[in-house]
Amino acid sequence: MITKILSDSEQDIEVAAQILKNGGLVAFPTETVYGLGGNALEASASQAIYAAKGRPSDNPLIVHIADTASVYELATEVPETAKTLMEAFWPGPLTIILPKADIVPKETTGGLDTVAIRFPSHPAAMELIRRSGVYIAAPSANTSGRPSPTTAKHVKEDMDGRIDAIIDGGAVGIGIESTIVDLTSDIPTILRPGFITKKNLEDIIGEVRIDPAIIHPDPSLRPKAPGMKYTHYAPVGELTVVEKTDIAVPTDARFKDEDSAAVADMINDLYNKKKEEGSKVLILAPEEHCHFYNNEDTIAVGSIDSGITVAARLYAALRECDERGAEFIYSESFKDCEIGGAIMNRLLKAAGQRIIHV
Ligand code: TXA
Ligand code: MG
């Protein structure tokens, strides 16, 4: 199969819309990451998505819509909290889980009786959904297990020859996947942290819980979002996060500098040891800290003062580690950034929870 590379012009989106209508697969940009789309109401399209990604078919897909009215077709019950959240955050990087209607095939929901629904804010995504007249089932457009794609080039690396087309809409804005909230339990529960935080949600709907399996990754806890149980986002090299242990000191600039220096010393020790053994080693750090490390072997991942810039760069940095053949990767922690929770969720999954406390 030849994968067409399309632009985000109206004519090209029309070409992509026809492909979707005819049962084909198209990767497209959203504000979070690139999605790999097919007709959500056609079991065969969902099966083709699993095949293209090499993804286990018990891992449900998110259904993308372009107007809130569609929710009432896809779900049997739409509680008040759902309406409030839709109003506050859509279009945008929030996915809600509701009881599914019969029109949604089990192939799309991985056998579950619930459906994940998202109304993306990216103009090309909206245009594609509207023009095709199709609800688009779309996981992130990476091969299963690899970091999610934040550019069309990343999608091509993973999907060339496996899908009909890729819409190139440039680099995405947010860079990590949508926040997922389950609204089928008594208390709304975050199944995957994202750009929209627990606090953002609580400001609007009151108490929100976080799935315990996310806070304390532990093999005996089964996450409610099946996708969260798989190793994800992982680079080929062995990634370790190095973090300063929290101590009860005032968050005084003086202490912060000492903390950064202690982390940098540890990372440099680890780096030097692996280098001496002849291994290819790379370091991930916020741009403010790159000066601590060997310039050539350090990749800047945004700024500590802006979690948004870290999120936007994270997956590209993990992919760069693969491209450069890194066997070992040491990363600073980004837990103190805003949206640090979502960033660390992804980084620690990529690290297989490997973390050293200084
Ligand atoms: O930002 C995003 O959400 C991106 C873009 C493309 O929209 N999509 C995305 O899809 O990240 P994917 O398939 O990579 O992740 C979907 C996650 C998985 O962890 C899956 O298990 C969970 O959503 N999920 C989907 N339907 C669910 C359901 N009915 N119940 C619980 N979890 C569900
Ligand atoms: Mg994914």
Side-chain angles (χ1 to χ4, degrees), residues 30 32-36 53 55 59-62 64 95 97 109 112 114-116 118 138-140 142 176-178 180 191-192 224-228 232:
T30 80
T32 56
V33 299
Y34 273 74
L36 167 54
K53 271 186 73 91
R55 172 179 187 156
N59 188 0
L61 306 175
I62 295 175
H64 295 68
T95 297
I97 310 263
T109 64
L112 299 175
T114 53
V115 58
R118 163 157 138 74
S140 49
N142 51 291
I176 54 175
E177 305 83 349
S178 60
I180 303 180
L191 305 188
R192 179 173 71 185
K224 232 190 137 186
M228 298 300 281
H232 243 120

Side-chain angles (χ1 to χ4, degrees), residues 141 192 204 209 217 252-253 279 325:
R192 179 173 71 185
I204 311 269
R209 290 193 322 166
D252 178 305
S279 299

Side-chain angles (χ1 to χ4, degrees), residues 146-205:
R146 290 210 75 203
S148 296
T150 53
T151 65
K153 176 177 160 277
H154 296 161
V155 178
K156 193 162 185 283
E157 282 166 16
D158 287 13
M159 291 296 155
D160 199 20
R162 306 173 73 94
I163 60 175
D164 298 287
I166 300 170
I167 296 175
D168 186 346
V172 301
I174 293 177
I176 54 175
E177 305 83 349
S178 60
T179 306
I180 303 180
V181 189
D182 182 5
L183 299 174
T184 65
S185 46
D186 294 344
I187 301 169
T189 305
I190 296 176
L191 305 188
R192 179 173 71 185
F195 180 79
I196 294 172
T197 61
K198 179 167 185 277
K199 166 130 194 350
N200 294 152
L201 297 170
E202 284 183 332
D203 285 347
I204 311 269
I205 55 168

Side-chain angles (χ1 to χ4, degrees), residues 244-264:
K244 182 75 191 155
T245 309
D246 277 326
I247 36 168
V249 290
T251 48
D252 178 305
R254 210 159 28 95
F255 287 108
K256 282 237 147 120
D257 286 350
E258 281 168 22
D259 287 357
S260 313
V263 166

